[in-house]
């Protein structure tokens, strides 16, 4: 029950980032740069508080500037992309790009996928292409490319984080290092800045709760899960975002999104499961 509870909370938190960002940029006047900065600053403060309560007073000793740059690139592209994407569409593009990046880098590093993994990868990629094909229900191309870029950045960040140290402390160090980067972004974009109370609240919730506390809870659940289970359970994030978008943001689920989602998530599930059966 503890594993189930922690995992469920973490997945809801991760999906919550999409819902909070979309709600802020659609329904309030906050701009994407300000949302990004408030999210990263509040996330850094929450993670610093959490690791400090554990007795770690120097989180800057953990993490790296390279990982912080990848984190900042993800957060900035994520915010700007949600100016034109629904919560479900953005979450699906993000998740597909993250998985494609990590699988592709693994292949470049010498991984030899099982034939079924290749089949799953082709199915997932076909779903991603189908999602972006021109048409009445196609998402805006520029916003879609931004979200794919965010997914690539997060895939790189995830691979860099493996084995880097105690996960929560490493994440705290990376968030803290990302703060000056995002403040520079806000300074460059100051001419278009909009400070909106509701939007700021969404950004703080995204940074402190959905990101900071969400990652901390996930790292508590992760040791209790098998590697395959941990990868598989993350398939629920775009689904939760889609349901949340319909119930909380009154977004429509198009046939294109449903079919592409089944292909992308189904293909990734095949890759994960086939990888479990692959000889060491």
């Amino acid at each position: 029950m503890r594993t189930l509870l922690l995992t469920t909370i973490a997945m809801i938190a991760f999906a919550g980032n999409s819902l909070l960002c979309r709600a802020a940029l659609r329904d309030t006047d906050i701009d994407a740069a300000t949302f990004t900065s408030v999210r990263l600053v509040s996330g850094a403060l929450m993670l610093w508080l959490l690791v400090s309560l554990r007795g770690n007073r120097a989180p800057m000793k953990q993490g790296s500037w390279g990982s912080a740059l990848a984190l900042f690139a993800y957060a900035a592209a994520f915010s700007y992309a949600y100016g034109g994407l629904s919560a479900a569409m953005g979450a699906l593009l993000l998740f597909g790009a993250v998985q494609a990046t990590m699988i592709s880098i693994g292949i470049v590093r010498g991984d030899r996928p099982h034939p079924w993994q290749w089949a799953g990868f082709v199915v997932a990629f076909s779903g991603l292409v189908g999602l972006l094909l021109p048409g009445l229900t196609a998402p805006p191309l520029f916003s879609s490319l931004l979200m794919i870029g965010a997914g690539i950045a997060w895939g790189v960040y995830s691979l860099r984080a493996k084995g880097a140290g105690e996960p929560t402390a490493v994440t705290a160090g990376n968030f803290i290092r990302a703060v000056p980067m995002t403040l520079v972004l806000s300074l460059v974009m100051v001419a278009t800045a909009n400070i909106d109370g509701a939007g700021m609240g969404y950004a703080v919730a995204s940074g402190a709760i959905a990101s900071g506390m969400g990652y901390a809870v996930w790292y508590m659940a992760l040791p209790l899960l098998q590697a395959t289970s941990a990868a598989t359970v993350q398939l629920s994030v775009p689904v939760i975002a889609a349901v949340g978008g319909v119930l909380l943001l009154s977004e429509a689920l198009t046939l294109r999104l449903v079919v592409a989602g089944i292909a992308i998530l189904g293909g990734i599930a095949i890759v994960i499961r086939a990888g479990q059966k692959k000889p060491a």
Side-chain angles (χ1 to χ4, degrees), residues 29-87:
D29 293 328
I30 195 170
D31 63 288
T34 300
F35 183 93
T36 303
S37 292
V38 174
R39 179 189 177 190
L40 288 177
V41 170
S42 58
L45 289 172
M46 176 58 74
L47 286 162
W48 173 82
L49 176 62
L50 291 174
V51 298
S52 295
L53 290 174
R54 296 181 182 180
N56 186 339
R57 301 289 180 178
M60 280 295 285
K61 291 183 179 180
Q62 302 278 351
S64 68
W65 287 103
S67 293
L69 179 60
L71 172 64
F72 164 70
Y74 147 75
F78 181 91
S79 298
Y80 278 97
Y82 264 126
L85 298 174
S86 68

Short mmCIF file of all heavy atoms in Angstrom, two decimals, residues 29-87:
data_model
loop_
_atom_site.label_atom_id
_atom_site.label_comp_id
_atom_site.label_asym_id
_atom_site.label_seq_id
_atom_site.Cartn_x
_atom_site.Cartn_y
_atom_site.Cartn_z
N ASP A 29 -2.80 35.98 -17.09
CA ASP A 29 -1.97 36.85 -17.93
C ASP A 29 -0.47 36.64 -17.74
O ASP A 29 0.33 37.38 -18.31
CB ASP A 29 -2.31 38.32 -17.64
CG ASP A 29 -3.72 38.69 -18.09
OD1 ASP A 29 -4.17 38.11 -19.10
OD2 ASP A 29 -4.35 39.53 -17.43
N ILE A 30 -0.07 35.67 -16.93
CA ILE A 30 1.35 35.45 -16.70
C ILE A 30 2.03 35.03 -18.00
O ILE A 30 1.43 34.33 -18.83
CB ILE A 30 1.58 34.38 -15.60
CG1 ILE A 30 3.03 34.41 -15.12
CG2 ILE A 30 1.20 33.00 -16.10
CD1 ILE A 30 3.26 33.57 -13.87
N ASP A 31 3.26 35.47 -18.22
CA ASP A 31 4.00 35.08 -19.42
C ASP A 31 4.83 33.84 -19.14
O ASP A 31 5.08 33.48 -17.97
CB ASP A 31 4.90 36.23 -19.88
CG ASP A 31 5.96 36.56 -18.85
OD1 ASP A 31 5.61 37.14 -17.79
OD2 ASP A 31 7.14 36.24 -19.08
N ALA A 32 5.28 33.19 -20.21
CA ALA A 32 5.98 31.90 -20.07
C ALA A 32 7.31 32.04 -19.33
O ALA A 32 7.68 31.17 -18.54
CB ALA A 32 6.21 31.30 -21.45
N ALA A 33 8.03 33.15 -19.58
CA ALA A 33 9.32 33.32 -18.91
C ALA A 33 9.14 33.49 -17.41
O ALA A 33 9.88 32.89 -16.60
CB ALA A 33 10.06 34.53 -19.49
N THR A 34 8.16 34.30 -17.00
CA THR A 34 7.91 34.49 -15.57
C THR A 34 7.45 33.19 -14.93
O THR A 34 7.88 32.84 -13.82
CB THR A 34 6.85 35.59 -15.36
OG1 THR A 34 7.33 36.81 -15.92
CG2 THR A 34 6.58 35.80 -13.88
N PHE A 35 6.57 32.44 -15.62
CA PHE A 35 6.12 31.16 -15.08
C PHE A 35 7.32 30.24 -14.87
O PHE A 35 7.43 29.59 -13.82
CB PHE A 35 5.12 30.50 -16.04
CG PHE A 35 4.56 29.20 -15.52
CD1 PHE A 35 3.36 29.20 -14.82
CD2 PHE A 35 5.22 28.00 -15.71
CE1 PHE A 35 2.84 28.01 -14.32
CE2 PHE A 35 4.72 26.81 -15.22
CZ PHE A 35 3.52 26.81 -14.52
N THR A 36 8.21 30.18 -15.85
CA THR A 36 9.40 29.32 -15.73
C THR A 36 10.25 29.71 -14.53
O THR A 36 10.68 28.85 -13.75
CB THR A 36 10.24 29.40 -17.01
OG1 THR A 36 9.44 29.04 -18.14
CG2 THR A 36 11.44 28.47 -16.94
N SER A 37 10.49 31.01 -14.38
CA SER A 37 11.34 31.47 -13.29
C SER A 37 10.71 31.19 -11.93
O SER A 37 11.38 30.70 -11.01
CB SER A 37 11.62 32.97 -13.44
OG SER A 37 12.42 33.21 -14.57
N VAL A 38 9.44 31.48 -11.79
CA VAL A 38 8.77 31.23 -10.51
C VAL A 38 8.74 29.74 -10.22
O VAL A 38 8.95 29.31 -9.07
CB VAL A 38 7.35 31.82 -10.52
CG1 VAL A 38 6.60 31.44 -9.25
CG2 VAL A 38 7.39 33.33 -10.66
N ARG A 39 8.51 28.93 -11.23
CA ARG A 39 8.50 27.48 -11.02
C ARG A 39 9.85 26.97 -10.55
O ARG A 39 9.93 26.21 -9.58
CB ARG A 39 8.10 26.77 -12.33
CG ARG A 39 8.10 25.26 -12.21
CD ARG A 39 7.92 24.57 -13.56
NE ARG A 39 7.98 23.13 -13.40
CZ ARG A 39 8.05 22.27 -14.41
NH1 ARG A 39 8.02 22.70 -15.66
NH2 ARG A 39 8.11 20.96 -14.17
N LEU A 40 10.92 27.37 -11.22
CA LEU A 40 12.24 26.87 -10.85
C LEU A 40 12.71 27.41 -9.51
O LEU A 40 13.30 26.68 -8.71
CB LEU A 40 13.25 27.21 -11.95
CG LEU A 40 13.11 26.41 -13.25
CD1 LEU A 40 14.12 26.89 -14.28
CD2 LEU A 40 13.29 24.91 -13.00
N VAL A 41 12.43 28.68 -9.23
CA VAL A 41 12.83 29.25 -7.94
C VAL A 41 12.08 28.58 -6.79
O VAL A 41 12.67 28.19 -5.78
CB VAL A 41 12.60 30.77 -7.91
CG1 VAL A 41 12.79 31.33 -6.51
CG2 VAL A 41 13.56 31.47 -8.88
N SER A 42 10.76 28.42 -6.93
CA SER A 42 9.98 27.79 -5.86
C SER A 42 10.36 26.31 -5.72
O SER A 42 10.40 25.78 -4.61
CB SER A 42 8.49 27.94 -6.13
OG SER A 42 8.12 27.39 -7.38
N GLY A 43 10.66 25.65 -6.85
CA GLY A 43 11.12 24.26 -6.78
C GLY A 43 12.45 24.14 -6.07
O GLY A 43 12.66 23.24 -5.25
N ALA A 44 13.36 25.07 -6.36
CA ALA A 44 14.67 25.07 -5.70
C ALA A 44 14.52 25.29 -4.20
O ALA A 44 15.19 24.61 -3.39
CB ALA A 44 15.55 26.15 -6.32
N LEU A 45 13.66 26.22 -3.80
CA LEU A 45 13.46 26.49 -2.38
C LEU A 45 12.85 25.27 -1.67
O LEU A 45 13.29 24.92 -0.55
CB LEU A 45 12.54 27.70 -2.20
CG LEU A 45 13.16 29.06 -2.57
CD1 LEU A 45 12.10 30.15 -2.54
CD2 LEU A 45 14.30 29.40 -1.62
N MET A 46 11.87 24.64 -2.29
CA MET A 46 11.25 23.46 -1.67
C MET A 46 12.25 22.32 -1.54
O MET A 46 12.33 21.67 -0.48
CB MET A 46 10.04 23.02 -2.50
CG MET A 46 9.37 21.73 -1.99
SD MET A 46 8.81 21.84 -0.27
CE MET A 46 7.36 22.89 -0.48
N LEU A 47 13.02 22.06 -2.59
CA LEU A 47 13.99 20.96 -2.53
C LEU A 47 15.10 21.27 -1.54
O LEU A 47 15.57 20.38 -0.82
CB LEU A 47 14.56 20.71 -3.93
CG LEU A 47 13.59 20.00 -4.89
CD1 LEU A 47 14.04 20.18 -6.33
CD2 LEU A 47 13.49 18.52 -4.55
N TRP A 48 15.53 22.52 -1.48
CA TRP A 48 16.54 22.91 -0.48
C TRP A 48 16.01 22.67 0.92
O TRP A 48 16.72 22.15 1.78
CB TRP A 48 16.90 24.39 -0.65
CG TRP A 48 17.81 24.89 0.45
CD1 TRP A 48 19.16 24.75 0.53
CD2 TRP A 48 17.40 25.58 1.64
NE1 TRP A 48 19.64 25.30 1.71
CE2 TRP A 48 18.58 25.81 2.40
CE3 TRP A 48 16.17 26.00 2.13
CZ2 TRP A 48 18.53 26.47 3.62
CZ3 TRP A 48 16.13 26.65 3.36
CH2 TRP A 48 17.30 26.88 4.09
N LEU A 49 14.74 23.02 1.16
CA LEU A 49 14.14 22.80 2.48
C LEU A 49 14.08 21.31 2.80
O LEU A 49 14.42 20.89 3.92
CB LEU A 49 12.73 23.40 2.50
CG LEU A 49 11.91 23.18 3.78
CD1 LEU A 49 12.62 23.82 4.97
CD2 LEU A 49 10.50 23.74 3.62
N LEU A 50 13.68 20.50 1.83
CA LEU A 50 13.54 19.06 2.07
C LEU A 50 14.88 18.41 2.39
O LEU A 50 14.98 17.61 3.33
CB LEU A 50 12.91 18.38 0.85
CG LEU A 50 11.43 18.71 0.57
CD1 LEU A 50 10.99 18.09 -0.75
CD2 LEU A 50 10.55 18.23 1.71
N VAL A 51 15.93 18.74 1.62
CA VAL A 51 17.23 18.12 1.90
C VAL A 51 17.84 18.68 3.17
O VAL A 51 18.58 17.98 3.88
CB VAL A 51 18.19 18.28 0.70
CG1 VAL A 51 17.64 17.58 -0.53
CG2 VAL A 51 18.48 19.74 0.40
N SER A 52 17.54 19.94 3.51
CA SER A 52 18.04 20.52 4.75
C SER A 52 17.43 19.83 5.96
O SER A 52 18.10 19.59 6.97
CB SER A 52 17.74 22.02 4.80
OG SER A 52 18.45 22.71 3.79
N LEU A 53 16.14 19.51 5.86
CA LEU A 53 15.47 18.80 6.96
C LEU A 53 16.06 17.42 7.17
O LEU A 53 15.96 16.85 8.26
CB LEU A 53 13.97 18.70 6.67
CG LEU A 53 13.18 20.02 6.75
CD1 LEU A 53 11.74 19.81 6.30
CD2 LEU A 53 13.23 20.60 8.15
N ARG A 54 16.68 16.88 6.12
CA ARG A 54 17.34 15.57 6.24
C ARG A 54 18.77 15.69 6.74
O ARG A 54 19.48 14.70 6.87
CB ARG A 54 17.34 14.86 4.89
CG ARG A 54 15.96 14.52 4.35
CD ARG A 54 16.09 13.81 3.02
NE ARG A 54 14.78 13.50 2.43
CZ ARG A 54 14.62 12.88 1.27
NH1 ARG A 54 15.69 12.51 0.57
NH2 ARG A 54 13.41 12.63 0.80
N GLY A 55 19.22 16.91 7.00
CA GLY A 55 20.56 17.12 7.52
C GLY A 55 21.59 17.50 6.49
O GLY A 55 22.77 17.69 6.82
N ASN A 56 21.18 17.63 5.22
CA ASN A 56 22.12 18.02 4.16
C ASN A 56 22.05 19.53 4.00
O ASN A 56 21.10 20.07 3.44
CB ASN A 56 21.76 17.33 2.85
CG ASN A 56 22.79 17.59 1.75
OD1 ASN A 56 23.55 18.54 1.81
ND2 ASN A 56 22.80 16.73 0.75
N ARG A 57 23.07 20.24 4.47
CA ARG A 57 23.06 21.70 4.43
C ARG A 57 23.78 22.27 3.21
O ARG A 57 23.88 23.48 3.06
CB ARG A 57 23.73 22.26 5.71
CG ARG A 57 23.05 21.82 7.00
CD ARG A 57 21.71 22.50 7.16
NE ARG A 57 21.03 22.09 8.40
CZ ARG A 57 19.87 22.55 8.82
NH1 ARG A 57 19.24 23.45 8.08
NH2 ARG A 57 19.33 22.11 9.94
N ALA A 58 24.29 21.40 2.37
CA ALA A 58 25.07 21.89 1.22
C ALA A 58 24.65 21.16 -0.05
O ALA A 58 25.44 20.42 -0.64
CB ALA A 58 26.56 21.69 1.48
N PRO A 59 23.40 21.37 -0.53
CA PRO A 59 22.95 20.67 -1.74
C PRO A 59 23.72 21.08 -2.99
O PRO A 59 23.73 20.33 -3.97
CB PRO A 59 21.47 21.10 -1.85
CG PRO A 59 21.36 22.36 -1.07
CD PRO A 59 22.34 22.21 0.05
N MET A 60 24.39 22.25 -2.96
CA MET A 60 25.17 22.66 -4.13
C MET A 60 26.35 21.74 -4.39
O MET A 60 26.96 21.78 -5.45
CB MET A 60 25.64 24.10 -3.97
CG MET A 60 24.57 25.14 -4.31
SD MET A 60 24.09 25.13 -6.05
CE MET A 60 25.53 25.91 -6.79
N LYS A 61 26.70 20.92 -3.40
CA LYS A 61 27.77 19.94 -3.62
C LYS A 61 27.29 18.81 -4.51
O LYS A 61 28.10 18.02 -5.02
CB LYS A 61 28.26 19.39 -2.28
CG LYS A 61 29.01 20.42 -1.43
CD LYS A 61 29.53 19.79 -0.15
CE LYS A 61 30.30 20.81 0.68
NZ LYS A 61 30.82 20.23 1.95
N GLN A 62 25.98 18.68 -4.67
CA GLN A 62 25.39 17.66 -5.52
C GLN A 62 24.96 18.29 -6.84
O GLN A 62 24.80 19.50 -6.94
CB GLN A 62 24.18 17.04 -4.83
CG GLN A 62 24.48 16.41 -3.48
CD GLN A 62 25.05 15.02 -3.61
OE1 GLN A 62 25.09 14.44 -4.69
NE2 GLN A 62 25.52 14.47 -2.50
N GLY A 63 24.76 17.46 -7.86
CA GLY A 63 24.33 17.98 -9.16
C GLY A 63 25.48 18.55 -9.96
O GLY A 63 26.66 18.44 -9.58
N SER A 64 25.14 19.16 -11.11
CA SER A 64 26.17 19.72 -11.99
C SER A 64 25.56 20.82 -12.84
O SER A 64 24.34 20.90 -13.01
CB SER A 64 26.74 18.62 -12.90
OG SER A 64 25.76 18.19 -13.83
N TRP A 65 26.42 21.67 -13.40
CA TRP A 65 25.94 22.75 -14.25
C TRP A 65 25.39 22.24 -15.56
O TRP A 65 24.45 22.80 -16.12
CB TRP A 65 27.07 23.76 -14.50
CG TRP A 65 27.37 24.59 -13.29
CD1 TRP A 65 28.42 24.45 -12.42
CD2 TRP A 65 26.59 25.69 -12.79
NE1 TRP A 65 28.34 25.38 -11.42
CE2 TRP A 65 27.24 26.16 -11.62
CE3 TRP A 65 25.41 26.31 -13.20
CZ2 TRP A 65 26.73 27.23 -10.88
CZ3 TRP A 65 24.91 27.37 -12.46
CH2 TRP A 65 25.56 27.82 -11.32
N GLY A 66 25.95 21.14 -16.06
CA GLY A 66 25.42 20.56 -17.30
C GLY A 66 24.01 20.06 -17.13
O GLY A 66 23.14 20.28 -17.98
N SER A 67 23.75 19.37 -16.01
CA SER A 67 22.39 18.90 -15.73
C SER A 67 21.45 20.06 -15.48
O SER A 67 20.28 20.03 -15.89
CB SER A 67 22.41 17.97 -14.51
OG SER A 67 23.11 16.78 -14.80
N ALA A 68 21.94 21.10 -14.81
CA ALA A 68 21.11 22.28 -14.57
C ALA A 68 20.71 22.95 -15.89
O ALA A 68 19.58 23.43 -16.04
CB ALA A 68 21.86 23.27 -13.69
N LEU A 69 21.62 22.97 -16.84
CA LEU A 69 21.31 23.56 -18.16
C LEU A 69 20.22 22.75 -18.86
O LEU A 69 19.29 23.32 -19.46
CB LEU A 69 22.57 23.61 -19.02
CG LEU A 69 22.39 24.18 -20.43
CD1 LEU A 69 21.87 25.61 -20.38
CD2 LEU A 69 23.71 24.11 -21.20
N ALA A 70 20.32 21.42 -18.78
CA ALA A 70 19.29 20.57 -19.38
C ALA A 70 17.94 20.78 -18.67
O ALA A 70 16.89 20.83 -19.32
CB ALA A 70 19.70 19.09 -19.29
N LEU A 71 17.98 20.92 -17.35
CA LEU A 71 16.76 21.18 -16.58
C LEU A 71 16.13 22.51 -16.99
O LEU A 71 14.91 22.60 -17.20
CB LEU A 71 17.09 21.19 -15.09
CG LEU A 71 15.97 21.63 -14.14
CD1 LEU A 71 14.80 20.65 -14.19
CD2 LEU A 71 16.51 21.74 -12.70
N PHE A 72 16.94 23.54 -17.11
CA PHE A 72 16.44 24.85 -17.51
C PHE A 72 15.85 24.81 -18.92
O PHE A 72 14.78 25.37 -19.18
CB PHE A 72 17.56 25.89 -17.44
CG PHE A 72 17.23 27.16 -18.18
CD1 PHE A 72 16.27 28.03 -17.71
CD2 PHE A 72 17.88 27.46 -19.37
CE1 PHE A 72 15.94 29.19 -18.41
CE2 PHE A 72 17.58 28.61 -20.07
CZ PHE A 72 16.60 29.48 -19.59
N ALA A 73 16.55 24.14 -19.84
CA ALA A 73 16.06 24.04 -21.23
C ALA A 73 14.71 23.34 -21.26
O ALA A 73 13.79 23.76 -21.98
CB ALA A 73 17.08 23.29 -22.08
N TYR A 74 14.57 22.28 -20.49
CA TYR A 74 13.28 21.58 -20.39
C TYR A 74 12.19 22.51 -19.87
O TYR A 74 11.11 22.63 -20.47
CB TYR A 74 13.41 20.36 -19.48
CG TYR A 74 12.15 20.06 -18.70
CD1 TYR A 74 11.05 19.47 -19.31
CD2 TYR A 74 12.05 20.41 -17.34
CE1 TYR A 74 9.87 19.24 -18.60
CE2 TYR A 74 10.89 20.19 -16.63
CZ TYR A 74 9.81 19.60 -17.26
OH TYR A 74 8.65 19.39 -16.56
N ALA A 75 12.45 23.18 -18.75
CA ALA A 75 11.42 24.00 -18.10
C ALA A 75 10.99 25.16 -18.98
O ALA A 75 9.80 25.48 -19.08
CB ALA A 75 11.93 24.51 -16.75
N ALA A 76 11.95 25.81 -19.64
CA ALA A 76 11.63 26.96 -20.49
C ALA A 76 10.83 26.53 -21.72
O ALA A 76 9.79 27.12 -22.05
CB ALA A 76 12.91 27.68 -20.91
N ALA A 77 11.31 25.48 -22.41
CA ALA A 77 10.59 25.01 -23.59
C ALA A 77 9.20 24.50 -23.23
O ALA A 77 8.22 24.71 -23.96
CB ALA A 77 11.39 23.90 -24.28
N PHE A 78 9.09 23.84 -22.09
CA PHE A 78 7.81 23.32 -21.58
C PHE A 78 6.81 24.47 -21.40
O PHE A 78 5.66 24.38 -21.85
CB PHE A 78 8.10 22.64 -20.24
CG PHE A 78 6.91 22.02 -19.55
CD1 PHE A 78 6.56 20.70 -19.77
CD2 PHE A 78 6.17 22.75 -18.62
CE1 PHE A 78 5.50 20.11 -19.11
CE2 PHE A 78 5.11 22.17 -17.95
CZ PHE A 78 4.77 20.86 -18.20
N SER A 79 7.24 25.55 -20.78
CA SER A 79 6.33 26.68 -20.52
C SER A 79 5.89 27.35 -21.82
O SER A 79 4.69 27.62 -22.01
CB SER A 79 7.03 27.70 -19.62
OG SER A 79 7.36 27.15 -18.36
N TYR A 80 6.83 27.61 -22.71
CA TYR A 80 6.47 28.28 -23.96
C TYR A 80 5.58 27.37 -24.82
O TYR A 80 4.68 27.85 -25.52
CB TYR A 80 7.72 28.69 -24.72
CG TYR A 80 8.30 29.99 -24.22
CD1 TYR A 80 9.34 30.01 -23.31
CD2 TYR A 80 7.79 31.22 -24.66
CE1 TYR A 80 9.87 31.20 -22.83
CE2 TYR A 80 8.30 32.42 -24.20
CZ TYR A 80 9.35 32.41 -23.28
OH TYR A 80 9.84 33.60 -22.81
N ALA A 81 5.81 26.06 -24.78
CA ALA A 81 5.01 25.14 -25.59
C ALA A 81 3.56 25.14 -25.14
O ALA A 81 2.64 25.06 -25.97
CB ALA A 81 5.58 23.72 -25.50
N TYR A 82 3.32 25.25 -23.83
CA TYR A 82 1.95 25.18 -23.34
C TYR A 82 1.15 26.44 -23.62
O TYR A 82 -0.03 26.50 -23.28
CB TYR A 82 1.93 24.83 -21.85
CG TYR A 82 1.74 23.36 -21.62
CD1 TYR A 82 2.63 22.62 -20.83
CD2 TYR A 82 0.68 22.67 -22.21
CE1 TYR A 82 2.46 21.26 -20.64
CE2 TYR A 82 0.52 21.32 -22.03
CZ TYR A 82 1.40 20.61 -21.24
OH TYR A 82 1.22 19.26 -21.08
N GLY A 83 1.74 27.40 -24.28
CA GLY A 83 0.96 28.53 -24.76
C GLY A 83 0.05 28.13 -25.91
O GLY A 83 -0.92 28.83 -26.22
N GLY A 84 0.34 26.98 -26.55
CA GLY A 84 -0.45 26.57 -27.71
C GLY A 84 -0.93 25.14 -27.70
O GLY A 84 -1.57 24.70 -28.65
N LEU A 85 -0.64 24.38 -26.64
CA LEU A 85 -1.02 22.97 -26.59
C LEU A 85 -1.99 22.70 -25.45
O LEU A 85 -1.93 23.35 -24.40
CB LEU A 85 0.22 22.09 -26.39
CG LEU A 85 1.30 22.12 -27.47
CD1 LEU A 85 2.51 21.30 -27.02
CD2 LEU A 85 0.76 21.58 -28.79
N SER A 86 -2.85 21.71 -25.64
CA SER A 86 -3.69 21.26 -24.53
C SER A 86 -2.81 20.49 -23.55
O SER A 86 -1.70 20.07 -23.87
CB SER A 86 -4.81 20.36 -25.05
OG SER A 86 -4.27 19.13 -25.54
N ALA A 87 -3.33 20.30 -22.34
CA ALA A 87 -2.57 19.57 -21.32
C ALA A 87 -2.24 18.16 -21.79
O ALA A 87 -1.11 17.67 -21.64
CB ALA A 87 -3.36 19.53 -20.01
#
